[in-house]
Amino acid sequence: NPKPGLLYGGDRPNAVVPDIFVLPTSAGWAIEINGATLPKLLVNQRYHSQLASGARDKASRTWLSDCLTSANWLITALDQRQRTILKVTEEIVKRQEAFFHHGIAHLRPLTLRAVAEKVELHESTISRVTSNKYLSCPRGTYELKFSFTSAIAPADGGEAASAEAVKSQIRLLIEGEQPGAILSDDTLVDLLREKGFDIARRTVAKYREAIGFGSSVQRRRQKAMLGG
């Protein structure tokens, strides 16, 4: 079989459909729920009236009333859920505005608790409404939880940096290195400091490994093999 890989898989990857749109305007950021992702739920009042007119006993009328109450409750609950998603997204955009303007390198440390306290909701609620929800903005499509990033304590005790921002800078530096000038972790520390990230060497090594880059010795060997 000249194409053995065709025996496996075959399913086409599904494109992510964003739940929220974030667009820049002259007055700030416009945040909208993607109507295409919302369930279409309506109570058929005509059908309800027909059933109500035919209900001749108390048990039937009670059952019909309970069904109508449950349907209206579900519609109200879904509407409240969308309002909560908008409220949480507005706070995230406010906290991470630099990211929306300038990119991942400008992500700030942010926790579920910080947003929960600001919007006056429980932390578990923030976790639920941001799980498997995607945001579309001019910079691309991101999961809402991408905005929550841990803080890395700087070596000099100054302002904490976002883990994702540090990873982004490390990736850019390593991907831009030349075969004859492989960057050591000490050099990465110095270059990151010039960009405003005063991070300890062990932290740089930890995140370098986390994003899939080997040591300077390993990278030098790999580039030598590719060059040969």
Side-chain angles (χ1 to χ4, degrees):
N1 185 351
K3 298 180 179 179
L6 293 178
L7 298 175
Y8 304 94
D11 295 334
R12 292 186 176 182
N14 295 321
V16 171
V17 178
D19 302 276
I20 306 153
F21 296 114
V22 177
L23 299 171
T25 69
S26 58
W29 296 93
I31 303 171
E32 300 177 0
I33 294 286
N34 182 1
T37 64
L38 299 179
K40 303 296 188 294
L41 295 181
L42 294 171
V43 173
N44 190 323
Q45 296 293 347
R46 179 180 297 179
Y47 184 53
H48 174 263
S49 298
Q50 290 176 349
L51 291 175
S53 63
R56 301 183 182 278
D57 57 88
K58 183 177 179 181
S60 296
R61 290 193 296 271
T62 300
W63 174 82
L64 188 59
S65 177
D66 290 343
C67 287
L68 181 61
T69 299
S70 296
N72 285 329
W73 176 88
L74 178 59
I75 292 173
T76 300
L78 288 172
D79 180 67
Q80 181 61 42
R81 178 171 172 268
Q82 303 311 319
R83 292 175 185 273
T84 300
I85 292 173
L86 276 175
K87 189 176 182 180
V88 171
T89 304
E90 287 171 358
E91 183 61 24
I92 289 174
V93 171
K94 186 185 300 181
R95 297 290 190 102
Q96 300 288 16
E97 188 168 8
F99 158 71
F100 290 97
H101 280 299
H102 307 294
I104 295 176
H106 295 268
L107 272 173
R108 298 176 58 193
L110 183 62
T111 63
L112 292 169
R113 177 177 295 181
V115 173
E117 291 176 351
K118 189 66 177 180
V119 300
E120 299 180 343
L121 292 170
H122 196 275
E123 191 173 336
S124 62
T125 302
I126 305 301
S127 180
R128 284 196 301 272
V129 301
T130 55
S131 294
N132 300 315
K133 296 290 183 299
Y134 290 85
L135 173 154
S136 175
C137 66
R139 295 198 166 274
T141 300
Y142 299 87
E143 190 173 8
L144 267 182
K145 281 199 169 179
F146 177 77
S147 302
F148 297 102
T149 174
S150 59
I152 301 177
D156 64 354
E159 184 179 357
S162 159
E164 291 299 330
V166 172
K167 288 179 183 179
S168 173
Q169 287 297 330
I170 292 174
R171 181 185 298 278
L172 289 173
L173 289 169
I174 291 179
E175 289 179 345
E177 65 187 1
Q178 299 301 315
I182 302 300
L183 305 174
S184 67
D185 288 343
D186 287 325
T187 303
L188 288 172
V189 168
D190 294 337
L191 293 174
L192 287 169
R193 186 177 293 116
E194 292 176 2
K195 295 179 178 293
F197 300 102
D198 194 1
I199 309 299
R201 182 184 181 280
R202 62 180 180 276
T203 305
V204 170
K206 173 185 175 181
Y207 283 101
R208 170 181 54 73
E209 293 172 358
I211 57 180
F213 290 108
S215 66
S216 57
V217 174
Q218 293 171 324
R219 301 200 308 279
R220 185 176 294 108
R221 185 181 301 120
Q222 290 171 349
K223 290 183 183 293
M225 292 174 62
L226 291 174

